[in-house]
Amino acid sequence: MLTSMKPLLAFCVLFVCVTVNAQLDFKRLSPSLQNIISKKNENETVDVFLTLKNPKEFYRGKKVIVLKEYAPSGTVLVRIKVSELKLFLSSDQIIFADAYRQPKEELTTGTLDISLNKINFSHNQFPSINGDSVFASVKEQRFDTTDIDIEGRYFNSGVASPFQSSHASIMATMLAGAGNTSPYAIGAAPGSYVTSSDFASLLPDADSVYSKYKITVQNHSYGTGIENYYGADAAAFDMSTKNNPSLIHVFSSGNSGNSTSGSGNYTGIPGFANITGSFKMAKNIISVGATDSFNHVVALSSKGPAYDGRVKPELVAFGEDGSSGAAALVSGSATLVQQAYKLFHNNQFPSNTLVKAILLNSADDVEKPHIDYSSGYGALNTYKAVKTVVENHFFENGVAQNETKDFTISIPANVSQAKFTIVWMDVPAVANAAKALVNDIDAQVQFPFTNETWLPWVLNSSANADSIKAPAQRKIDTLNTVEQVTIDNPQAGDYVLQVKGSRIQQGMNQSFAVAYQFDSLNHFVWTYPASTDALLGSKNNVVRWETTINDTATIEYSLDGLQWKTLATGINLNDHYFQWTTPDTLSIAFLRMKISSVPSSFVSDSFTISRTLDLKVGFNCVDSFLLYWNQLPVNQYQLYQLGQKYLQPFLLTPDTIAVLSKKQFASVNYAVAPIINSKAGFRSFTTDYTTQGVGCYLSSFIGFPQGNNALLRIQLGSVYNIASISIVRMNSKGAQIVQTVFPPLQTVFTVTDANLTRGVNNYQLQIKLANGTVIYSNVESVYYFPDIPVIVYPNPAKQNQPVSIIVQTPGIFFINVYDASGRMILSESLDAIYQQLPPLRLSKGLYLVKIISQGAKPFVEKLIVY
């Protein structure tokens, strides 16, 4: 009976195996996971994202290790054997399975220009809006929490990576740097508080982390590879924004802009659909591409469309070295928008929907007109974003299925363009959904006076290069959670923004946010330099403006506001920038734009043209320290010290030297700037006086042999208050003064000593101050080899004491020590210039030391032990 059942049993086993393996072809399995499983044996483990209907019930009692979980979206990261995974995939409890991918920081060298995206202009126009009271997170490796550019503003949220990286530190600086280290380290939000979060799991932090620490912006400057599907991680981030209504996630789009996707709808189309990570396919986030200093999208910046044709990236910002920094600037700008809103709304945070609408609506149109798959909705304009909040050009509401709401918006006269953007935060789609959009809203703008209607701009998402590159058209959008309408040269009057719930889940009221702006005709404003900016003299600087005037113009500059010099004629105003090599001067300066079609000219705020100051440390003594700097043709200098958060001015002085008491000045970080007609010029790099290698007057003291002499090089921090300096030699002949200088007139000098003795010659400096105090240096040794390449000393040597050996050329000699009977008692390789033999536990007497070198004749020296 059992024998007859064997064929049936074998068939059943085969059937089960085939059935299980067939699950691997289901749409519930990502292509990357299919590839990984096909290459692993049954007993190997894999890390897998599972989207489950009921996570806790599903893996309870099963042989899995849960590494990370984002419960609201039913997503878990598990470690599991391949054989177990194949069995699990047969369960209808699994919605989607995806392979874990190692996140990688997206390259940047930290080049920073906050003038391009009008961040500097926003700081200048709205000085109280700096991100204060807003808490942001940098999700990747851990940044340097001791960096003085975030002094007093770091907070520990308990989820940081154990590993620190310079990339994370650069991102934290670009987002929230205070400019304490230098003027180049000012981030978008120098007042915001920052924390670190580990990116290892590729999932959002727990909702409790965001709520407990009031985190409302999280920056993600990392990627995996080009992935064109809506992953479990994307669904998790969409859920994270739904569960945390004030939280906005900002992602870099990636640095694979020259690559071609090997999967998804856009396979094989060069230069498009190369966003780096399925999590960036989320709908409720902002993904950010990179531009150069002139608002051209750089080739390496990853471009859309998203896997289903949606607009990606949504924004671009400065990032010549990658999209990482671009994302950080957008994250910092988001905190400024949030703080601006709080200032006018009883300290309440805006919704993430509203922040996204404001950032996208205020962006500058770059690349192709309107929206496109390279720049999204445009280049970040931080000034206009904050201005939108200040002018209250936004509102929020909601619609249900088939409900239509009309909102009247008055457009004033003399407007060159009106722009309206509507954004809604959608519920997560099912992982690996063919189309991510669940709830759809349709918007249009009407002008009842003329019965005209304007639909939103929509891109052609067909899977071919010509369609992707085609300009946007006005039509109904059925893919995106963002719709944007523009009207060029509108008539003044009351317009109606009509919002309809075209596909909303049953019983749901879909909330949305609208931001709008009106660009005036004949508008022109200088945005860089602003009144708080300083340009370096004799350097190539990029000056910038914002305008709606389409014409050519002449640029002039003045150092007094009265006499003007022409810089260039025939300037195309649509370039929005001009490269100017500033004069080599220290002066207040002005720029003027003269436009032929406009009767009046446009003069900038006053700014400074400056030279650099090099702050140095003269001495660092027990009770005081000395700072000094190069002299410039100005009457005063402003000294700064690091306070609890920022550099604080504390001393105006006409001198180029300052002696500060340590009791009075507890800070170790200082900077200095020239004062030019009551304005601070370019500030020096900040110096920590304790780390400059300067002791109490002495910076360095080095001695080395030169032929039969000792060459001693001395560098002082300062000659201030020094009466004399003496060089003392100490050798077998005793201590002798080599030379005394009364007083030293320079900080660097060299002394030659010809009276060396064989072996070790020790030197020490004696610095005598005007008040009689004597400061001693450390001892510097010079080894003298007049006739042999190895010296053994002391000789005679005291019993049970170590013996020192110095070698001209380490690594080529061996030393053998023999007693009087010829027995070898010690053998050593001489691998360093200086080394010690262990204490010789020898009887008093005579020993022979044999020095051996490959290819050379050995020589013998006597050693006496007493």
Side-chain angles (χ1 to χ4, degrees):
M1 180 69 179
L2 289 175
T3 302
S4 63
M5 291 184 63
K6 285 182 180 179
L8 179 60
L9 180 61
F11 172 78
C12 291
V13 171
L14 178 63
F15 176 77
V16 170
C17 291
V18 170
T19 302
V20 170
N21 283 323
Q23 306 301 320
L24 304 182
D25 296 326
F26 283 3
K27 288 183 65 177
R28 295 183 296 165
L29 203 63
S30 74
S32 57
L33 184 55
Q34 292 182 46
N35 183 53
I36 289 172
I37 291 177
S38 68
K39 295 178 180 178
K40 287 184 175 287
N41 64 48
E42 299 289 300
N43 291 320
E44 286 187 276
T45 60
V46 289
D47 292 349
V48 182
F49 288 110
L50 297 177
T51 304
L52 304 168
K53 293 180 180 178
N54 191 337
K56 291 184 178 179
E57 289 298 324
F58 179 78
Y59 57 72
R60 181 179 295 163
K62 294 183 172 67
K63 297 178 181 179
V64 298
I65 299 173
V66 179
L67 303 175
K68 181 75 174 181
E69 179 179 15
Y70 186 69
S73 66
T75 306
V76 292
L77 176 60
V78 301
R79 182 163 294 159
I80 186 173
K81 281 187 176 182
V82 171
S83 57
E84 292 285 332
L85 176 62
K86 288 180 178 179
L87 289 173
F88 287 2
L89 289 171
S90 64
S91 169
D92 62 1
Q93 286 291 310
I94 292 181
I95 300 171
F96 184 64
D98 194 2
Y100 170 77
R101 294 88 63 211
Q102 184 70 37
K104 295 172 290 186
E105 297 165 329
E106 301 195 295
L107 179 68
T108 183
T109 62
T111 305
L112 178 57
D113 181 354
I114 63 170
S115 69
L116 175 68
N117 301 115
K118 317 301 187 294
I119 296 170
N120 75 299
F121 194 55
S122 180
H123 292 171
N124 181 267
Q125 297 294 300
F126 308 109
S128 64
I129 298 174
N130 64 358
D132 186 32
S133 75
V134 179
F135 295 80
S137 171
V138 177
K139 192 173 181 69
E140 51 177 274
Q141 304 280 34
R142 178 169 47 87
F143 56 79
D144 180 6
T145 59
T146 65
D147 186 349
I148 64 171
D149 283 314
I150 56 170
E151 181 80 14
R153 294 181 293 118
Y154 166 73
F155 66 100
N156 184 1
S157 54
V159 290
S161 167
F163 307 106
Q164 182 176 305
S165 79
S166 59
H167 183 276
S169 297
I170 293 170
M171 294 306 100
T173 300
M174 296 182 82
L175 191 161
N180 290 332
T181 56
S182 82
Y184 299 111
I186 298 176
S192 67
Y193 291 77
V194 284
T195 190
S196 184
S197 171
D198 194 350
F199 67 168
S201 73
L202 293 176
L203 291 175
D205 295 322
D207 292 344
S208 59
V209 172
Y210 299 120
S211 60
K212 178 179 180 180
Y213 295 100
K214 300 178 181 179
I215 296 169
T216 54
V217 174
Q218 189 164 62
N219 185 77
H220 307 257
S221 291
Y222 55 88
T224 49
I226 297 172
E227 295 172 341
N228 276 303
Y229 58 92
Y230 185 84
D233 39 20
F237 278 105
D238 279 339
M239 181 63 78
S240 178
T241 57
K242 291 294 290 183
N243 288 355
N244 301 277
S246 296
L247 171 65
I248 189 158
H249 290 288
V250 180
F251 283 86
S252 58
S253 68
N255 297 335
S256 298
N258 292 321
S259 300
T260 301
S261 177
S263 64
N265 295 332
Y266 301 97
T267 298
I269 301 177
F272 289 95
N274 43 38
I275 306 293
T276 57
S278 63
F279 40 89
K280 300 178 186 183
M281 296 296 144
K283 300 168 288 185
N284 301 339
I285 65 169
I286 297 178
S287 58
V288 185
T291 71
D292 62 17
S293 291
F294 311 112
N295 259 339
H296 303 130
V297 175
V298 296
L300 60 77
S301 178
S302 290
K303 301 165 183 68
Y307 82 100
D308 56 357
R310 282 177 291 127
V311 177
K312 290 281 180 180
E314 286 88 356
L315 281 177
V316 290
F318 174 76
E320 283 188 333
D321 301 300
S323 59
S324 288
L329 294 180
V330 171
S331 292
S333 298
T335 72
L336 300 185
V337 171
Q338 290 174 332
Q339 186 205 354
Y341 183 93
K342 289 178 66 181
L343 288 174
F344 296 100
H345 295 84
N346 298 317
N347 210 36
Q348 297 298 307
F349 273 99
S351 69
N352 44 27
T353 315
L354 179 57
V355 174
K356 184 174 179 179
I358 289 171
L359 288 172
L360 270 54
N361 189 77
S362 58
D364 294 330
D365 192 14
V366 296
E367 297 295 317
K368 289 185 172 66
H370 314 300
I371 60 176
D372 58 70
Y373 286 126
S374 294
S375 65
Y377 295 89
L380 171 71
N381 187 321
T382 305
Y383 164 70
K384 282 189 174 180
V386 175
K387 185 183 177 189
T388 298
V389 180
V390 173
E391 293 180 342
N392 204 39
H393 281 182
F394 60 86
F395 60 87
E396 295 182 271
N397 214 291
V399 289
Q401 174 64 23
N402 293 325
E403 182 182 14
T404 299
K405 289 186 176 179
D406 292 342
F407 304 93
T408 300
I409 300 174
S410 296
I411 298 180
N414 299 316
V415 169
S416 64
Q417 186 186 75
K419 182 161 60 170
F420 310 84
T421 302
I422 180 171
V423 175
W424 62 99
M425 291 290 170
D426 198 10
V427 297
V430 176
N432 211 33
K435 179 175 157 180
L437 189 67
V438 176
N439 291 313
D440 190 15
I441 289 175
D442 286 325
Q444 61 181 17
V445 177
Q446 300 172 339
F447 188 33
F449 184 74
T450 61
N451 291 321
E452 291 178 274
T453 298
W454 293 265
L455 292 174
W457 294 107
V458 178
L459 293 171
N460 189 335
S461 61
S462 300
N464 62 77
D466 289 341
S467 297
I468 292 173
K469 295 175 183 178
Q473 303 293 320
R474 294 187 188 274
K475 58 191 296 186
I476 294 173
D477 190 333
T478 61
L479 285 177
N480 296 282
T481 58
V482 179
E483 295 191 0
Q484 190 171 92
V485 180
T486 61
I487 307 173
D488 291 333
N489 301 307
Q491 295 184 45
D494 290 340
Y495 288 69
V496 175
L497 174 64
Q498 188 177 87
V499 181
K500 178 183 179 182
S502 59
R503 191 179 74 245
I504 310 296
Q505 289 179 326
Q506 185 66 33
M508 181 178 179
N509 186 68
Q510 176 64 60
S511 60
F512 60 85
V514 174
Y516 57 93
Q517 70 180 30
F518 309 127
D519 294 332
S520 301
L521 287 168
N522 294 327
H523 165 73
F524 182 96
V525 63
W526 290 98
T527 60
Y528 182 79
S531 63
T532 50
D533 294 317
L535 302 186
L536 283 175
S538 193
K539 299 290 184 182
N540 185 36
N541 294 273
V542 179
V543 299
R544 304 185 189 277
W545 60 85
E546 196 170 81
T547 187
T548 59
I549 305 170
N550 184 16
D551 203 347
T552 58
T554 297
I555 297 181
E556 301 173 325
Y557 81 96
S558 173
L559 301 182
D560 58 9
L562 300 174
Q563 299 181 23
W564 294 88
K565 294 183 179 180
T566 299
L567 286 176
T569 60
I571 296 296
N572 183 353
L573 290 176
N574 290 326
D575 287 342
H576 300 286
Y577 72 90
F578 175 74
Q579 297 187 68
W580 176 32
T581 300
T582 48
D584 186 10
T585 186
L586 282 90
S587 176
I588 295 293
F590 303 85
L591 289 166
R592 182 167 73 180
M593 189 74 78
K594 296 176 70 175
I595 306 169
S596 57
S597 60
V598 179
S600 59
S601 57
F602 300 94
V603 179
S604 72
D605 288 336
S606 64
F607 57 92
T608 61
I609 299 176
S610 183
R611 295 175 188 159
T612 56
L613 287 171
D614 188 10
L615 182 64
K616 295 183 179 179
V617 179
F619 60 74
N620 176 16
C621 296
V622 174
D623 59 345
S624 61
F625 57 97
L626 180 146
L627 304 174
Y628 69 99
W629 53 93
N630 52 304
Q631 187 173 13
L632 295 177
V634 296
N635 296 323
Q636 283 188 313
Y637 302 89
Q638 177 70 68
L639 273 169
Y640 303 83
Q641 64 177 332
L642 183 61
Q644 291 184 346
K645 296 180 183 179
Y646 307 106
L647 284 178
Q648 306 286 349
F650 72 95
L651 177 66
L652 272 173
T653 176
D655 297 323
T656 59
I657 191 169
V659 178
L660 303 177
S661 165
K662 289 185 177 180
K663 286 185 179 180
Q664 186 177 357
F665 298 98
S667 175
V668 299
N669 294 287
Y670 293 85
V672 64
I675 298 299
I676 307 169
N677 291 3
S678 302
K679 274 195 171 188
F682 199 85
R683 179 167 44 82
S684 72
F685 286 87
T686 300
T687 296
D688 178 343
Y689 74 80
T690 66
T691 62
Q692 303 308 304
V694 178
C696 197
Y697 280 96
L698 185 63
S699 293
S700 65
F701 175 41
I702 302 171
F704 52 91
Q706 190 176 67
N708 293 324
N709 301 323
L711 197 64
L712 306 167
R713 288 182 177 170
I714 300 155
Q715 181 170 348
L716 303 173
S718 171
V719 296
Y720 175 79
N721 207 35
I722 295 180
S724 67
I725 180 167
S726 298
I727 300 94
V728 180
R729 180 200 329 108
M730 297 166 288
N731 56 23
S732 59
K733 295 180 180 180
Q736 293 178 311
I737 293 178
V738 176
Q739 185 176 332
T740 300
V741 181
F742 300 98
L745 300 178
Q746 56 193 30
T747 58
V748 179
F749 55 96
T750 302
V751 174
T752 301
D753 181 21
N755 298 312
L756 299 179
T757 60
R758 183 183 179 207
V760 182
N761 296 266
N762 293 321
Y763 295 88
Q764 189 175 39
L765 298 182
Q766 296 177 358
I767 302 171
K768 189 174 182 179
L769 304 183
N771 63 4
T773 302
V774 179
I775 300 166
Y776 296 92
S777 74
N778 292 328
V779 174
E780 181 72 8
S781 298
V782 174
Y783 303 111
Y784 180 48
F785 301 80
D787 48 13
I788 58 175
V790 179
I791 298 174
V792 180
Y793 71 97
N795 190 6
K798 193 173 182 179
Q799 191 178 28
N800 298 328
Q801 295 297 312
V803 173
S804 298
I805 302 175
I806 54 176
V807 186
Q808 275 188 343
T809 308
I812 67 171
F813 292 99
F814 292 85
I815 184 170
N816 295 335
V817 180
Y818 301 88
D819 63 14
S821 67
R823 180 170 57 95
M824 187 172 68
I825 58 174
L826 180 69
S827 181
E828 290 281 346
S829 173
L830 304 180
D831 296 325
I833 290 177
Y834 172 83
Q835 61 194 80
Q836 280 190 331
L837 298 180
L840 296 175
R841 299 182 181 279
L842 304 175
S843 302
K844 297 177 182 180
L846 178 66
Y847 295 85
L848 298 178
V849 178
K850 188 174 184 180
I851 311 297
I852 303 168
S853 172
Q854 186 176 9
K857 185 179 179 179
F859 63 92
V860 178
E861 187 172 341
K862 295 177 182 179
L863 173 65
I864 298 173
V865 178
Y866 67 95

